[in-house]
Amino acid sequence: MKILKIIAGLLGLFLFFAVLGAGGVLYGFYHYGKGLPDYTQLKDYEPPVMTRIHAGDGQLMAEYAVENRVFVPIKAIPKRVIDTFLAAEDKNFYHHIGIDPMGVARAVVINLKNVGKGRRLVGASTITQQVAKNFLLTNEVSYVRKIKEAILALRIEEAFEKDRILELYLNEIYLGYGSYGVAAAALNYFNKPLGELSIAETAYLAALPKAPNNYHPIRRTAKAVERRNWVIERMAIEGVISEIEAAKAKSDPLKVASRSETEFVEAPYFAEEVRRELVDMYGEDKLYKGGMSVHATLDPKLQEIAQRTLQQGLESYDRRHGWRGPVAQLEGVLSWETDLPEVKAPNGAPNDWSLAVVLQLHKSDVTIGLANGGKGVIPFSEMKWARPWLEDQKVGARPKRPSDVLKKGDVIWVKPVTETEKGEKYQPDTYTLRQIPDVQGAIVSLDPHTGRVLAMVGGYDYDKSQFNRATQANRQPGSAFKPFVYLAALDHGYTPSTLILDAPFVLDQGPGMPKWRPDNYTNKFYGPSTMRLGVEKSRNLMTVRLAQTLGPDVVSEYARRFGITKNLPEVLSMSLGAGETKLMNLAAAYGMIVNGGKSITPTLIDRIQNRNGVTIFKHDTRPCDGCMAMQWTGDEVVPQIPDVRESVTSEESAYQMVSILEGVVERGTGRRVSVIKKPLGGKTGTTNDSRDAWFMGFSPDLVTGVFVGFDTPVTLGKREQGASAAAPIFRDFMMEALADQPATPFRIPNGIRLVRVNARTGQDAKPGDQNVIWEAFKEGTSPSQSNNVLEGQSNDLAGPAVGETGSGLY
């Protein structure tokens, strides 16, 4: 009886303490569970993933990210990788409720032993607890955090499936080497995708979660191998691999492999412009963390040609205007091997240039030392261009010997050469003298039918200047604007044979203001001339008279309609290209001429997909019923895609201007590009004091614009103009771009008829006329209707002409 009372008392005491303990646990859950982060946010959690920009052919252009992470869905992660991490981190993951009581008890027992032996303590956090800590808590080391971690783990297990929890863990965990997630780690440590990892490599990755720096594969190789082998043992115990496989894996050396260099399309100005657009559209957070896939319009082949021809064209211009001196000067050349590498190289030099120091000067060449310790020779023929630079881009006397250009100790840029301009071979280690141009420029090439920008280079070198002169620089286009004045006239009933008086023009601008007296580039007057000649020869006086007759408001409206500039001042000087615009805008405007008068918007982006592959942006928004069919049998009606582009001019007027601009290339100021021997149209542009040089041109399916000028507008030189500074760049680009293309003629609309006319008078050709061309007339018009001479009103108060007054020279 007494024994029963004792037993009953003990049971009662046990129940009391059990109830007290349960109450304490419940109170702990209540107390520490208050104010915990909302774990349901993990349901929609998307880890930060890099955004990639791809060129038109799929090649990679750029990557933007804050973390080096590759997200892999749980179903795509190899089973062995999953099993290895479970064996190492949480073998009971699929069986516990978020915390593992047996694991905790086992850790307590092991740690009691380890404390006595001075060994490392082991933890008992489950994968779910690690997810709670990594996503919702801090790394604070305290019992309070461990309690909160356990509470959150229980809640997470109630809310999510096991696979979702494991997916979050394997993609979020930091594994060293800048790697977030197992996929990024596999690439960074072993240069392999997850599916190609060996047993030993997989085990090493699973050894890293607790403390990746403690198991660095190079600095702490022994510890890393020890930890890896422990994981291999766990894999064998859990049946992931056999004992034989485990033994072999343990014997494998721990070797890391540098990640293969990702090949990028070299288009920094293009990529940066796309980046800016993405920030404007979605914000920086989505750009750097959203995992978007951006399909750009860039054509890598055309981009490479554009980059090279622009650089070569700017270098050619720069050499015409003299030598500005060495990069630096060494005090002596006895220790040049050590002194030269210490010279800081200025940004902006092409990759095939290198710094060199002048060691000896001879009668016909110069001996140079290179930064790599080697030596070379610069023949005098490779420095004859180096006349002294003078103010306003003038040059001094021609050098007669190497000492007129260089002296001992000069640090200079050089480039290897193998043959002379005549094709004669040089000896090995022969170099040519180079200097980084001060002048800048840009080139844009786009599809005139869609506005897709196929190539764009915004300057000589991106490292030297990130300012994009194709999209950010506002400059006067000069005569490159004139076609839009004449196009307005074609829309208002004039013909290419309309006669306009080419004679002195004086405009009284009002009290206290000087009279405005524009001139032709040649300072000559040619009397009544056809409108075609006005464009082909870039006649300023004819353009002003035409603009005065049409009205400055009409000129301003056409500049707005074609996207050149929104608010062009309504003054006559604007007809000569005094209003500022961007190269990109002007290229798109020329595209609207060649495509038959349809409005286009230049774009650098075709399509954007989110991290799940869903298209969230498309440049081409035309409806297409039937385009999403899963298969094609040939019996269905071919889907018809409507042309939704707005018309900005008539198709007939657009073709008449195309024909006139063809004449610019064949007979006018653009003759330099006629060597391409394919149907081309174009127009030069030069502004006051030759501050800006342009060439805008096109084939039936490609528009290309080139700008050359100094960032701080100063003269390019007395003899420089669009035809000399910009047209050669256009010529060289189009020569290569169209090399494998057929000579496609421009498309003639139905409302146009071609008439043989005298090129000088614009009237019907007569027997014996020598200078005869085919002229484009609209239905209902003819050369005989173009006899009257448009004279304009000189020396009156017809309107102000304020602004830059002599733009549009040539």
Side-chain angles (χ1 to χ4, degrees):
M1 192 69 179
K2 187 175 181 181
I3 294 175
L4 290 175
K5 288 182 179 180
I6 293 173
I7 293 173
L10 290 174
L11 286 173
L13 187 64
F14 175 78
L15 288 173
F16 171 76
F17 281 109
V19 171
L20 184 65
V25 170
L26 291 174
Y27 175 77
F29 269 77
Y30 168 75
H31 177 73
Y32 291 108
K34 293 187 299 182
L36 285 178
D38 180 14
Y39 61 92
T40 60
Q41 64 183 282
L42 297 180
K43 181 179 181 181
D44 300 317
Y45 172 75
E46 293 180 331
V49 180
M50 71 174 59
T51 290
R52 288 184 169 91
I53 300 175
H54 298 271
D57 65 351
Q59 291 187 68
L60 193 61
M61 281 177 56
E63 295 176 327
Y64 299 104
V66 293
E67 295 175 352
N68 184 5
R69 184 194 307 277
V70 180
F71 182 83
V72 183
I74 189 66
K75 293 181 179 179
I77 299 176
K79 186 176 185 300
R80 187 166 69 191
V81 173
I82 293 174
D83 290 344
T84 301
F85 272 84
L86 293 180
E89 291 292 310
D90 190 355
K91 69 174 184 175
N92 295 321
F93 173 73
Y94 278 100
H95 306 291
H96 61 60
I97 59 173
I99 57 176
D100 186 0
M102 293 299 295
V104 173
R106 183 169 56 253
V108 170
V109 173
I110 293 174
N111 285 338
L112 288 175
K113 295 179 181 178
N114 287 350
V115 167
K117 298 179 181 179
R119 293 180 179 176
R120 179 181 64 86
L121 301 182
V122 300
S125 291
T126 64
I127 283 177
T128 312
Q129 286 176 272
Q130 292 183 56
V131 168
K133 181 189 74 171
N134 292 340
F135 284 89
L136 303 172
L137 298 173
T138 66
N139 286 322
E140 173 194 5
V141 180
S142 69
Y143 76 91
V144 173
R145 196 214 73 198
K146 294 296 291 184
I147 293 173
K148 291 181 178 180
E149 182 183 291
I151 295 171
L152 283 171
L154 293 171
R155 293 177 178 177
I156 289 170
E157 288 276 352
E158 289 181 359
F160 305 114
E161 294 181 357
K162 287 284 188 178
D163 282 352
R164 173 60 174 166
I165 298 170
L166 189 58
E167 181 181 72
L168 291 172
Y169 172 77
L170 291 175
N171 281 286
E172 175 68 20
I173 193 167
Y174 181 68
L175 297 173
Y177 261 34
S179 308
Y180 290 85
V182 292
L187 290 171
N188 291 340
Y189 282 102
F190 303 113
N191 192 32
K192 293 180 180 180
L194 288 172
E196 295 181 11
L197 293 175
S198 67
I199 293 173
E201 291 165 346
T202 305
Y204 176 70
L205 296 185
L208 296 172
K210 291 290 189 292
N213 287 336
N214 290 346
Y215 307 114
H216 193 280
I218 298 174
R219 293 196 299 267
R220 299 185 176 182
T221 306
K223 283 191 173 183
V225 171
E226 180 185 358
R227 179 67 177 173
R228 181 202 68 178
N229 290 347
W230 176 83
V231 174
I232 293 173
E233 291 175 1
R234 293 291 312 147
M235 293 170 70
I237 292 171
E238 297 300 325
V240 178
I241 57 175
S242 67
E243 292 291 345
I244 295 175
E245 289 174 320
K248 182 179 182 304
K250 284 183 182 181
S251 66
D252 288 349
L254 178 57
K255 291 184 179 180
V256 295
S258 298
R259 186 172 180 179
S260 298
E261 286 293 326
T262 304
E263 291 187 8
F264 290 90
V265 175
E266 191 68 24
Y269 285 104
F270 199 111
E272 174 59 17
E273 192 64 25
V274 172
R275 189 197 69 82
R276 281 197 290 263
E277 287 191 20
L278 293 173
V279 170
D280 289 342
M281 294 166 69
Y282 302 108
E284 289 199 358
D285 196 60
K286 189 161 185 178
L287 169 65
Y288 289 97
K289 300 178 182 179
M292 294 183 289
S293 178
V294 182
H295 303 264
T297 59
L298 180 133
D299 182 318
K301 177 184 175 183
L302 295 183
Q303 179 68 21
E304 187 278 327
I305 299 171
Q307 178 70 58
R308 175 164 39 82
T309 54
L310 179 66
Q311 281 193 342
Q312 291 172 350
L314 296 179
E315 290 168 12
S316 179
Y317 163 86
D318 187 66
R319 286 195 294 274
R320 288 200 300 273
H321 294 276
W323 169 246
R324 294 185 300 277
V327 173
Q329 175 73 34
L330 298 184
E331 293 184 3
V333 296
L334 293 178
S335 58
W336 68 269
E337 293 98 330
T338 55
D339 293 343
L340 181 58
E342 298 298 318
V343 177
K344 184 178 180 181
N347 288 334
N351 293 332
D352 56 351
W353 292 15
S354 57
L355 285 181
V357 60
V358 177
L359 300 179
Q360 290 182 315
L361 291 95
H362 311 285
K363 289 183 178 181
S364 60
D365 59 38
V366 168
T367 301
I368 57 172
L370 304 170
N372 62 9
K375 291 184 178 181
V377 172
I378 305 177
F380 179 60
S381 59
E382 294 296 336
M383 64 179 82
K384 289 176 68 174
W385 62 267
R387 301 169 69 176
W389 177 88
L390 302 176
E391 194 173 351
D392 292 334
Q393 312 309 316
K394 298 176 183 177
V395 292
R398 294 183 183 277
K400 298 180 180 179
R401 58 189 66 86
S403 59
D404 292 340
V405 179
L406 301 171
K407 59 180 179 291
K408 186 181 292 189
D410 281 351
V411 177
I412 55 176
W413 285 111
V414 296
K415 175 184 176 181
V417 287
T418 58
E419 60 183 34
T420 67
E421 292 182 356
K422 296 180 180 180
E424 299 171 355
K425 295 295 183 181
Y426 278 130
Q427 293 295 320
D429 299 321
T430 301
Y431 294 81
T432 183
L433 179 65
R434 286 288 182 260
Q435 70 180 355
I436 299 173
D438 276 350
V439 73
Q440 281 289 356
I443 183 170
V444 167
S445 192
L446 56 81
D447 183 329
H449 308 291
T450 62
R452 298 176 68 248
V453 178
L454 304 175
M456 177 183 68
V457 184
Y460 177 76
D461 184 88
Y462 188 78
D463 290 335
K464 181 180 180 183
S465 170
Q466 289 78 52
F467 181 68
N468 192 330
R469 293 148 194 89
T471 61
Q472 294 176 297
N474 284 299
R475 302 296 288 251
Q476 294 178 339
S479 294
F481 177 74
K482 288 178 182 175
F484 301 94
V485 179
Y486 288 83
L487 182 58
L490 293 170
D491 277 342
H492 283 74
Y494 296 87
T495 77
S497 290
T498 296
L499 296 175
I500 304 173
L501 182 63
D502 188 342
F505 185 93
V506 180
L507 187 66
D508 191 341
Q509 301 185 95
M513 297 186 69
K515 294 185 184 297
W516 187 51
R517 294 182 172 88
D519 290 318
N520 287 327
Y521 179 76
T522 60
N523 292 317
K524 296 179 181 179
F525 313 107
Y526 300 91
S529 303
T530 64
M531 206 161 75
R532 171 181 282 278
L533 277 174
V535 180
E536 289 183 356
K537 304 299 183 182
S538 202
R539 303 273 176 79
N540 290 339
L541 298 173
M542 292 175 64
T543 306
V544 169
R545 280 188 166 84
L546 181 60
Q548 185 190 54
T549 303
L550 293 170
D553 58 326
V554 173
V555 175
S556 179
E557 162 61 17
Y558 270 70
R560 183 202 62 78
R561 186 185 299 182
F562 280 84
I564 298 170
T565 182
K566 291 182 179 178
N567 299 298
L568 186 71
E570 295 180 4
V571 294
L572 287 182
S573 63
M574 297 299 114
S575 67
L576 300 181
E580 292 182 338
T581 188
K582 295 179 173 68
L583 176 60
M584 182 70 77
N585 295 348
L586 198 57
Y590 271 77
M592 297 179 214
I593 294 176
V594 73
N595 73 15
K598 300 296 185 180
S599 178
I600 57 173
T601 301
T603 181
L604 282 70
I605 301 173
D606 274 331
R607 186 173 79 257
I608 302 173
Q609 294 170 287
N610 65 16
R611 66 172 67 216
N612 299 315
V614 177
T615 298
I616 57 177
F617 169 84
K618 230 180 15 172
H619 170 66
D620 189 347
T621 58
R622 292 176 297 171
C624 182
D625 297 332
C627 286
M628 300 303 292
M630 297 299 293
Q631 61 180 1
W632 176 260
T633 64
D635 296 329
E636 298 88 345
V637 177
V638 177
Q640 298 297 313
I641 305 176
D643 187 349
V644 297
R645 297 173 298 175
E646 176 189 356
S647 291
V648 291
T649 186
S650 75
E651 190 177 12
E652 295 77 17
S653 294
Y655 177 76
Q656 286 179 310
M657 182 48 61
V658 167
S659 176
I660 290 172
L661 293 174
E662 274 193 281
V664 172
V665 172
E666 293 169 2
R667 298 173 294 275
T669 58
R671 290 188 303 275
R672 288 188 183 218
V673 308
S674 63
V675 297
I676 298 175
K677 303 296 184 185
K678 289 183 179 177
L680 293 172
K683 184 70 187 76
T684 54
T686 314
T687 60
N688 279 354
D689 299 324
S690 298
R691 294 193 189 105
D692 308 271
W694 301 72
F695 193 89
M696 309 299 300
F698 50 81
S699 69
D701 299 305
L702 189 66
V703 172
T704 301
V706 176
F707 161 77
V708 175
F710 290 93
D711 285 342
T712 300
V714 295
T715 181
L716 288 164
K718 186 176 180 180
R719 297 182 180 179
E720 294 291 353
Q721 50 191 280
S724 62
I729 298 173
F730 173 90
R731 175 198 63 207
D732 295 345
F733 173 83
M734 294 296 274
M735 183 79 80
E736 285 195 59
L738 302 178
D740 56 353
Q741 301 296 317
T744 306
F746 289 99
R747 302 161 185 88
I748 303 175
N750 293 329
I752 286 291
R753 64 190 186 94
L754 299 180
V755 179
R756 294 177 75 253
V757 301
N758 183 297
R760 188 181 65 81
T761 66
Q763 298 304 299
D764 287 304
K766 298 177 181 178
D769 282 353
Q770 298 296 315
N771 192 8
V772 176
I773 62 171
W774 288 99
E775 189 58 272
F777 288 91
K778 297 176 184 176
E779 292 289 347
T781 65
S782 66
S784 60
Q785 296 174 328
S786 307
N787 285 326
N788 294 331
V789 179
L790 188 154
E791 297 183 357
Q793 300 178 31
S794 180
N795 195 24
D796 66 6
L797 299 175
V802 295
E804 290 285 350
T805 57
S807 297
L809 294 178
Y810 210 47

